Amino acid sequence: MNIVETSSVALAGSQDARSESNVQARAYVSSPGRAWRRFRRQPAAVLSAAFILALYLISVIGPWVAPYGPLAGDLRATMQGPSAAHWLGTDQLGRDILSQLIYGTRISMWGALQAIGVALLLGVPLGLLAGYVGGALDSGLTWGVDLLFALPPIMVAFAVIAILGASLSAVMLAIGLTFSTRFFRLARAVTLAEREELYVDSARVGGLGVWSITAHHILPNIAPTLIAQTALQVGAVVLIEATLSFIGIGATMEQPSWGRMLSQARTYMGTHPFLAFPSGAAITLTVLAFNLLGDGLQTAFGRESVAARPRSRPAPPASAAPPTQAIESPPALLALRGLEVRFPDAQGGEVVILRDVSLEMKRGEILGLVGESGSGKTMTSLAIMDLIPPPGRLAAGSIRLEGKDLRSLPAAAWHRLRGQAIALVFQDAHSSLNPALTIETQLIDPLRIHIGLSQRQARRRALELLTLVRIPDPQRRLHEYPHQLSGGMAQRVALARALAGQPTVLIADEPTSALDVTVQGQILDLLKDVQRQFDMAILLITHDLGVVAETCDRVAVMYAGEIVEAGPTHALFHQPKHPYTQALLATLPQYGRIDGRLPVIPGLVPPPHAWPLGCHFHPRCPLATEACRAGTPALQPLGPDRLTRCLRAQDMP
Amino acid sequence: MNDANLTMTVPIAPPALSDQPFLTVRDLHVEFAAQQPLFGRYRSPVRAVNGVSFSVPRGQTLGLVGESGAGKSTAARAILKLVQVQSGQIVVGGQDVTALPTRALDGYRRQVQVVFQDPYSALNPSHVVGEIVGELVTHHRRVRAGRARDEIVADLLQQVGLGPHLMERLPGELSGGQRQRVAIARALAVEPRLIVCDEPTSALDVSIQSQIINLLEDLQARKGLTYLFITHNLAVARHISHTLGVMYLGYLVEMGPTERVYTQPAHPYTAMLLAANPVPDPVQQRQRAALRQMYRQGVEPPSPTRLPPGCPFANRCPLVMDICRRTMPAPSEAPGGGMVRCHAHSNEAAPSQRAG
């Protein structure tokens, strides 16, 4: 899920966990060039576009290429099958069918454009306006459109014909009127969603008017959706026009139309079945082509996720640096050794997004994993759970739980450990709970499935768990749904559910980042409490150094896909042994630094494809030397229980 | 402000800068109508901002802090004229703008601009940077797109530390910090006097946060800008604000010179907020965690749709008295300067009345 954490940096650079979810939801609009490249990759859509273009071309040059006039009948040669003179045969009046088909393109293709033009011109501006202005205008327009939508198109056609007289244009106007409701609804719905974006507020504060905001700001962002829908709707109009002509409304006797041809063929169905084929095939193929084109455009213009397009340079064949030396210590509860995660890139190579990650956790300790967005902390937790989003893969390293190598286990056995021996708590508790199920169901299910409790035992245990996470009035809460819980309460429920399997390791990924600070304090206190009660190890992933300072026994700091420093919390905060940690602590506005400028770390966190050779931090490091640029430093021991990935650690104060 | 019982002009150092408030808000109320169900009980509106008053001297920064639902962003949106004001008065640069006619709005927009929290949503994803910044130049300064406007845009980008080569880029191609700089350049395009900064650094990584704060401070010093700075990060607020206001569920519960509010918080909620705000120092932070224990565990703020009578903090307050559950305290002078809305500091409630 959090692939963005690691690869969006290609574009996003850096932002904190709060906004990571936004980035996921908010992919960005394709540029025309990119859309074209994606369109080109779809043969069906390209063929359809060519077919449609050919039809329009034929409709223009028809009079010059058609072998006969549309109405030139030869009564001596009626009802003929295909021949050299009449490739598709003749009808009951001896008219050439191919010529009629060619002339028919004018009515079908241009008529459809006419109708869609009316529909777009009417539906889109009104939809934009209704969606943007809202209020009474929106209600009124929506009522009107709902009413129009409820009328059968044929009735609308009759009404328009009654007013304007029977003509093809009248019919097309009627169809356009009916179809405008679809565009109205589409434009309104998309506008309602876009209106919530801050860029619209920003435009309002900029003093821009309704017209400028809808036309200049919102329309370009909804245009791709509209274009794709237009293609689909043209197909529908072609079909409706054919249907109307078939029943005798629309094209007159003198106008060759595919629908009318089909209608005439019906009369002779019994004796000359072939007569229906040319016009039927023309209608079917045209509608199909428009549908395929619409689908293709939708795919081409669709908002692609940021993660979908990593730009990268080829990954080095293997880690250049010697793997990290572990400090010899009693067997750890959870030990990661040299983890490496790779994602394929667009050029067919792979890009490394996590490199040489080694960690050890002992029973009963809270280990903080800190870093900025894109540093790889979430990817580390996903690797432990075997949840790396495809097409990413764990390319190297080992994960040992109580000495057992999880990677050597069958996948099913590893996955069984999830939710039991290793549990996970996410940042956004609300989205990790199923909104359609009560708290009780969500707590009882894992208890019954993983632990095999009976329904009654499970219910009693669920109540105990809610009490354990200090939810007031747990009996009542059991029967509530997630939306009835505040963020803090939802996180408590998520924690209760994680504890259901009595895990020995709990991974908490930014568990308090979405909460208010006063609630955050309560959740941190709770985490510390349950850690003691269950004698668990907690891996606390956070970007907040204050949370680490309070909660963690030891800390590991990540930067650009690597652990750059690790050590006991107190020592690491008071004497950081990596220039990145040092700079990070210095940039925080805090006590004792009230006035004057804040120290800054120059530059940006490099995205995975742009990691520099040598030490990943060297371009931003004040201590960097030639050696830092040349070789990749290993994470090396420095004093008791401390590790640093810095060649100049000895020179730091 | 002798008549307005709710307005306090807080004495701020250095007084030499200006004594004329540039932005004054008096007794501001903003309500949101609740969606009424077809059947069932009437739902009362959400009172998002409840009698808030403050003023910001020209060239200074008022920080507004508080948790979600405190009403700080709504107050900001009222000043930006993005939401309807129920009652109260907003005065900017000596002009009452509470009920500004539409035709006068453009002039107002030239004085007041905004920088939002989320630079991912605040920039139109289909416009290039040159258009995002240039758009307001065209609208307000009547410079059409072209070389002349490009020069203005390049200058604006340079003021926020970006190169002109970014003009052709889409927001999707920029980093979070670069986007926030573009948003600031856009705000500067109209040469505003007041910039409302709504959590401008909350979505940024810590190493980028300090760059943006420095930039905002430089611009203030250079252009004499007035800031209304909204944040939930107390450390950032302390660094950047001359005056600090603390909001809780629509009320401004405390305001005063930043250092005073920090070092001697008068309102128990301010004290709670300060204790809860994590500091990156293991020793200090563990002391604060202990301090936090005096607040009731598991008690959360009341729902803003069903605010109790009296002080909204009463159910979490360690100093709660009977009177707190009945009436909302009026603003009173806080010890050390500024104002506080707490019965523990008002004259009506004698300390002997304290229960618990």
Side-chain angles (χ1 to χ4, degrees), chain A residues 578-601:
Chain A
H578 192 284
Y580 173 65
T581 318
Q582 205 170 41
L584 200 61
L585 285 165
T587 58
L588 292 171
Q590 53 167 314
Y591 285 76
R593 218 176 283 118
I594 297 148
D595 284 317
R597 295 171 63 86
L598 294 169
V600 299
I601 307 179

Side-chain angles (χ1 to χ4, degrees), chain A residues 11-12 14 26 197-199 201 205-206 216-217 221 372-373 486 516 518 525 550 552 589 597-598 601, chain B residues 67-68 77 109 121 124-127 131 135 140 174-176 205 207 211 214 218 235 285-286 292 300:
Chain A
L11 309 143
S14 41
R26 227 194 129 59
E197 298 288 343
L198 282 176
Y199 74 80
D201 279 338
V205 174
H216 192 57
H217 278 267
N221 287 313
E372 300 180 90
S373 49
S486 68
D516 277 326
T518 56
D525 288 341
E550 170 179 337
C552 301
R597 295 171 63 86
L598 294 169
I601 307 179
Chain B
E67 298 175 280
S68 53
R77 293 174 74 85
R109 300 288 189 210
S121 156
N124 193 330
S126 56
H127 288 186
E131 173 63 20
E135 175 183 52
H140 290 282
L174 305 181
S175 75
D205 267 324
S207 73
Q211 297 178 2
N214 283 346
D218 288 350
Q285 185 53 29
R286 273 158 220 232
R292 225 164 47 210
E300 296 197 347

